[in-house]
Amino acid sequence: MVVLTKPAIEHFPIVKNSCKSPSFFIDVPVIDLSKPDSKNLIVKACEEFGFFKVINHNVPIEFIIKLESEAIKFFSSPLSEKLKAGPADPFGYGNKKIGQNGDIGWVEYILLSTNSEFNYQKFASILGVNPETIRAAVNDYVSAVKKVSCDILEMLAEGLNINPKNVFSKLLMDEKSDSVFRLNHYPPCPAIEEFTGKNLIGFGEHTDPQIISVLRSNNTSGLQILLTNGHWISVPPDPSSFFINVGDSLQVMTNGRFKSVKHRVLTNSVKSRLSMIYFGGPPLTEKIAPLPSLMEGKDSLYKEFTWFEYKKSTYTIRLADNRLVLFEKSLRRHDVYNLNS
């Protein structure tokens, strides 16, 4: 484990800050899920950015507040107490270490499976933390966000004129769906002020391997996405809305039409950042390949693979590496679809 002393800061990834204040991406597509034209706007956002914000999502505010309160209570505990809920193998509490290939970040987290039973009793010995209260808060929140995910995926299918419209959502609804839920906490890092004009990385650049990701964070900035012009741009925080990411699997299923956007999180020197992410994944045995109805005479850009095969491959590479390159067909590897590199 990395000890959090000032000299240890030098062991964490740091990037140059291009400006003194964040340059916010004000053109993030905003989709009102209550509007009848939302399906077409979602398709456009997935094609152009692979990222968008949704409002009027109908997730009860009390679910959000309750889970955030429980998360703050846990992350405010002494490290010696939090470690009792770890190690993350892969589920449980993790601190600084991200994955198995040397990636680290200024972050601590709890990773939970949404299907198999996580042993919440790991929280029982942590002072002031009630495992059953956390379980209930997570279950209520995940259930509501999963519905939003499925609604969005069905809108996508309708917007693409795919039948049946549950072609994507049924993978999340399957009782064997390999979906996960993550709570990330980025503590403030005053020591980064020593590195003038630079930012400390909380969570390094990556794409999400699943089908869809639904993110909600508090009112602290830090999230950045990589635009097609190669520039990183900050996303304005909005604790009342959700941000949606196209995952690698959805990029494959649409044969590269939708983009799995690279993103990262920078630390804040004063304020902590708390994020909650639902990663909607298919069953482990599900075969992932471009949908025939979207091919229209085009060649497939990808070899068929199972979700288990793809998930396993992600454990062998670094966070920032292009996961999909191992499954691209070499004939079209540099196709005009401009896949992530």
Side-chain angles (χ1 to χ4, degrees):
M1 176 161 300
V2 180
V3 180
L4 299 186
T5 61
K6 281 193 176 183
I9 295 292
E10 299 174 2
H11 298 292
F12 288 82
I14 296 173
V15 295
K16 185 177 181 180
N17 186 10
S18 59
C19 54
K20 292 183 179 179
S21 58
S23 176
F24 284 119
F25 183 44
I26 59 175
D27 295 323
V28 174
V30 180
I31 314 295
D32 185 339
L33 295 182
S34 68
K35 300 295 184 181
D37 64 340
S38 57
K39 63 183 180 182
N40 296 320
L41 295 176
I42 291 175
V43 169
K44 184 178 179 181
C46 290
E47 291 174 336
E48 295 182 358
F49 299 106
F51 178 85
F52 55 96
K53 180 167 77 172
V54 295
I55 59 176
N56 287 326
H57 44 71
N58 291 326
V59 175
I61 187 64
E62 58 266 28
F63 289 0
I64 298 173
I65 293 174
K66 181 61 177 175
L67 181 55
E68 183 174 75
S69 173
E70 291 302 316
I72 290 173
K73 188 184 300 182
F74 173 82
F75 288 121
S76 297
S77 303
L79 179 59
S80 59
E81 293 290 300
K82 290 181 286 191
L83 289 174
K84 296 174 183 178
D89 54 356
F91 303 118
Y93 173 76
N95 185 283
K96 305 303 177 290
K97 182 180 178 182
I98 302 171
Q100 303 174 3
N101 296 294
D103 290 298
I104 60 173
W106 195 262
V107 62
E108 58 179 342
Y109 62 89
I110 303 171
L111 183 64
L112 304 167
S113 169
T114 63
N115 292 331
S116 61
E117 285 294 314
F118 172 75
N119 181 15
Y120 281 86
Q121 288 306 309
K122 287 185 176 182
F123 295 111
S125 59
I126 301 172
L127 187 64
V129 175
N130 185 322
E132 291 307 313
T133 304
I134 293 181
R135 184 201 299 271
V138 169
N139 287 347
D140 286 344
Y141 180 88
V142 167
S143 178
V145 173
K146 179 180 178 180
K147 183 180 185 308
V148 173
S149 303
C150 290
D151 288 346
I152 290 172
L153 290 173
E154 292 183 3
M155 289 180 193
L156 281 174
E158 287 189 72
L160 292 171
N161 296 313
I162 299 174
N163 286 308
K165 71 174 185 178
N166 71 338
V167 64
F168 302 126
S169 64
K170 68 180 181 181
L171 302 179
L172 273 60
M173 295 302 295
D174 193 296
E175 63 179 11
K176 295 183 179 179
S177 168
D178 187 42
S179 298
V180 296
F181 180 65
R182 187 180 183 110
L183 288 163
N184 285 335
H185 176 239
Y186 303 91
C189 185
I192 192 58
E193 295 173 352
E194 298 176 3
F195 297 88
T196 306
K198 296 183 179 180
N199 288 110
L200 190 70
I201 293 289
F203 209 107
E205 64 178 86
H206 64 286
T207 59
D208 295 337
Q210 291 89 353
I211 296 172
I212 190 174
S213 305
V214 183
L215 163 74
R216 184 267 174 188
S217 69
N218 63 359
N219 201 27
T220 301
S221 62
L223 176 63
Q224 293 189 327
I225 63 171
L226 183 63
L227 300 183
T228 54
N229 61 11
H231 292 139
W232 286 98
I233 199 79
S234 295
V235 177
D238 184 352
S240 65
S241 304
F242 290 98
F243 292 94
I244 311 298
N245 280 356
V246 169
D248 295 344
S249 296
L250 187 55
Q251 176 171 308
V252 171
M253 295 175 77
T254 60
N255 204 34
R257 181 170 174 177
F258 291 171
K259 312 302 180 188
S260 180
V261 67
K262 273 196 173 183
H263 52 287
R264 67 185 183 188
V265 176
L266 305 183
T267 62
N268 190 292
S269 62
V270 179
K271 299 168 63 180
S272 64
R273 183 173 185 271
L274 181 71
S275 62
M276 316 169 180
I277 314 100
Y278 168 77
F279 299 96
L284 290 172
T285 57
E286 183 69 26
K287 293 181 179 179
I288 307 297
L291 297 178
S293 59
L294 296 179
M295 298 300 289
E296 299 177 354
K298 298 176 182 176
D299 293 330
S300 171
L301 298 180
Y302 306 96
K303 306 169 188 176
E304 182 180 89
F305 53 87
T306 65
W307 169 240
F308 174 78
E309 290 172 330
Y310 190 54
K311 183 177 180 180
K312 184 179 179 181
S313 76
T314 65
Y315 292 136
T316 67
I317 59 179
R318 297 293 298 269
L319 194 63
D321 291 340
N322 182 354
R323 300 181 175 100
L324 282 176
V325 72
L326 299 175
F327 300 92
E328 292 174 10
K329 290 188 175 180
S330 57
L331 181 65
R332 299 289 295 276
R333 187 164 291 173
H334 302 293
D335 193 87
V336 292
Y337 284 97
N338 190 27
L339 299 178
N340 292 329
S341 60

